[in-house]
Amino acid sequence: MEHEQLLQASTELMNHNLGYIRSMALGCAAKLGVADAIHHAGGRATMDDLRAALSLHPSKLPFLRRVMRVLVASGVFAHDEEEDDDDIYRLTPVSSLLVTATAGSGGRNLLPFVLLQLSPPLCVTPATSMAEWLTSGEEETPFEMTHGPGLWTVCSRDPELGELFNDAMAADSAFIMDVAIRGAGRQVFDKITSLVDVAGGTGTAARVVAAAFPHIKCTVLDLPHVIDSIPADHRGRDVVKFVAGDMMDFIPRADALLLKFVLHDWSDEDCMKILKRCKEAIPSREAGGKVIVIDVVVGSSTQAMCHGTQLLFDLLISTTLPGMQRGEKEWCKVFKEAGFTDYKISPVLGIRSIIEVFP
Ligand SMILES: C[S@@+](CC[C@H](N)C(=O)[O-])C[C@H]1O[C@@H](n2cnc3c(N)ncnc32)[C@H](O)[C@@H]1O
């Protein structure tokens, strides 16, 4: 290699190597609430505004400036350099998704989801043992190598981690279901009269469906520790019904079942078990029966950022759970082997698709 190429290669290598520092800078801004601080300052915040809003020690201000410099370079925040050297920070479309004040107004607050993906016990530490996992003959996931039990057990035993996980899923559901229902996904729910959100967490996705389609009777099935985390009086007043149980054993009957971010958690074998239970719970295709899967279809987009994000998400899932992100061929195999006859993929949700699966 020529000198220039060598230097370029070493720069690229170091950039890849330090990519996790970019993630940690994002985690730092998320934990401190930088996006909220800019939002509350009217959309433009000086370093002084940030120092006051974030209760930073004055001696740490130069370090915050360096954190912000990385996040501005990555497009998370925007920056105007003023003549008097008083930097002004602004939100970009990316950091607007971290403003908590917008929670509830169309669900555009993805902060809890960012905090989950950067959580040391749930996501970061397991991912550090990929190499040891690949050379180990054990069946356990990197998450189990780190913790012993799997993710659902850890979340049931540690209420704080359980809450972190459930809040993250609720934030993601509020966001993506709102986009789905306002956009091309709307017709997917049009003709349904009853829906069970299988492994539906604390019910956010089902609530979005119930609010948009008041004629749909919505039920949420999830594990007992998840359902029990919703206070009983809230559950009693909710527009959706809750059922605590194991989807491997039983799924309540409905016209349609929703599996959002569920099948990617499981091996092909377990997906087939879940899908067979689903098939038992719905009527024929002619009578309106279908399963609605919201998940990644790897390769659904040729856009480099979208495809690259699907691949990163695949590795995150496989270090956390016995699952994976699937391409169309892999989805087709799972659906057919579980006894379904047809499916339709609509790649209308960014890195995710809506897949209607018909009996
Ligand atoms: C990745 S989360 C998705 C939650 C929800 N569908 C969403 O997207 O917001 C997976 C969910 O599966 C639930 N789960 C795991 N094993 C289950 C089982 N055997 N039966 C029912 N739910 C289960 C977990 O408790 C968790 O809420």
Side-chain angles (χ1 to χ4, degrees):
M1 271 194 274
E2 295 296 325
H3 249 74
E4 282 305 314
Q5 273 180 313
L6 270 175
L7 289 173
Q8 178 60 28
S10 72
T11 304
E12 277 182 41
L13 181 63
M14 196 181 297
N15 195 278
H16 291 307
N17 212 18
L18 294 178
Y20 78 100
I21 294 291
R22 196 178 301 126
S23 299
M24 295 303 138
L26 174 63
C28 166
K31 268 197 207 163
L32 291 176
V34 174
D36 269 351
I38 298 175
H39 176 76
H40 291 307
R44 300 171 89 248
T46 61
M47 260 297 148
D48 257 358
D49 293 333
L50 291 182
R51 184 188 57 76
L54 308 177
S55 328
L56 288 189
H57 191 276
S59 69
K60 301 286 167 51
L61 212 52
F63 189 74
L64 179 66
R65 184 171 276 121
R66 280 148 59 207
V67 171
M68 293 301 286
R69 187 164 65 177
V70 168
L71 294 172
V72 167
S74 329
V76 175
F77 293 103
H79 169 236
D80 301 326
E81 213 159 316
E82 301 286 295
E83 271 172 19
D84 56 5
D85 211 25
D86 195 5
D87 301 344
I88 303 278
Y89 293 95
R90 287 181 289 106
L91 297 172
T92 64
V94 178
S95 44
S96 299
L97 296 174
L98 303 176
V99 174
T100 59
T102 60
S105 64
R108 290 193 198 96
N109 165 27
L110 288 178
L111 184 85
F113 198 67
V114 168
L115 295 176
L116 169 65
Q117 291 197 326
L118 293 174
S119 153
L122 294 186
C123 293
V124 178
T125 311
T128 60
S129 36
M130 268 187 235
E132 292 75 8
W133 176 59
L134 281 171
T135 49
S136 149
E138 300 298 323
E139 290 253 319
E140 59 187 6
T141 59
F143 186 96
E144 289 159 344
M145 281 174 70
T146 308
H147 292 278
L151 177 62
W152 314 128
T153 306
V154 167
C155 285
S156 72
R157 289 182 186 163
D158 184 328
E160 228 174 87
L161 292 180
E163 193 179 336
L164 172 72
F165 186 86
N166 293 338
D167 287 354
M169 298 319 305
D172 177 65
S173 283
F175 173 74
I176 207 71
M177 294 306 290
D178 186 63
V179 173
I181 276 165
R182 284 169 192 265
R186 189 171 180 89
Q187 40 82 27
V188 170
F189 296 91
D190 256 353
K191 296 196 178 81
I192 298 170
T193 59
S194 58
L195 177 90
V196 173
D197 188 2
V198 180
T202 49
T204 302
R207 266 181 227 111
V208 175
V209 174
F213 304 93
H215 68 278
I216 303 183
K217 234 178 79 198
C218 292
T219 304
V220 176
L221 170 75
D222 209 294
L223 293 171
H225 76 269
V226 176
I227 302 297
D228 291 346
S229 74
I230 311 162
D233 57 328
H234 284 223
R235 256 182 281 155
R237 280 185 271 118
D238 214 308
V239 289
V240 307
K241 201 178 131 204
F242 290 92
V243 176
D246 185 338
M247 64 185 163
M248 300 288 180
D249 294 336
F250 168 74
I251 294 174
R253 285 195 72 77
D255 287 350
L257 306 176
L258 176 64
L259 286 166
K260 176 192 158 274
F261 264 0
V262 175
L263 295 178
H264 75 184
D265 296 342
W266 301 90
S267 65
D268 283 358
E269 214 175 44
D270 283 329
C271 282
M272 282 177 221
K273 266 194 225 161
I274 297 166
L275 284 166
K276 281 181 184 163
R277 287 277 169 272
C278 287
K279 196 159 170 273
E280 291 161 6
I282 52 172
S284 65
R285 181 175 187 170
E286 295 67 41
K290 66 177 170 182
V291 177
I292 303 162
V293 175
I294 297 186
D295 238 321
V296 168
V297 177
V298 177
S300 63
S301 166
T302 49
Q303 199 219 350
M305 167 77 88
C306 189
H307 187 62
T309 308
Q310 291 179 334
L311 302 185
L312 293 175
F313 200 9
D314 173 55
L315 282 191
L316 175 67
I317 284 291
S318 22
T319 52
T320 319
L321 287 151
M324 70 193 84
Q325 309 294 0
R326 296 175 169 86
E328 179 170 355
K329 252 194 197 159
E330 292 156 308
W331 280 118
C332 177
K333 180 172 172 279
V334 169
F335 297 147
K336 290 276 148 77
E337 289 187 17
F340 287 83
T341 60
D342 198 9
Y343 65 88
K344 179 183 167 204
I345 297 178
S346 308
V348 292
L349 296 179
I351 66 162
R352 286 176 268 195
S353 295
I354 303 179
I355 318 175
E356 290 164 273
V357 192
F358 302 102

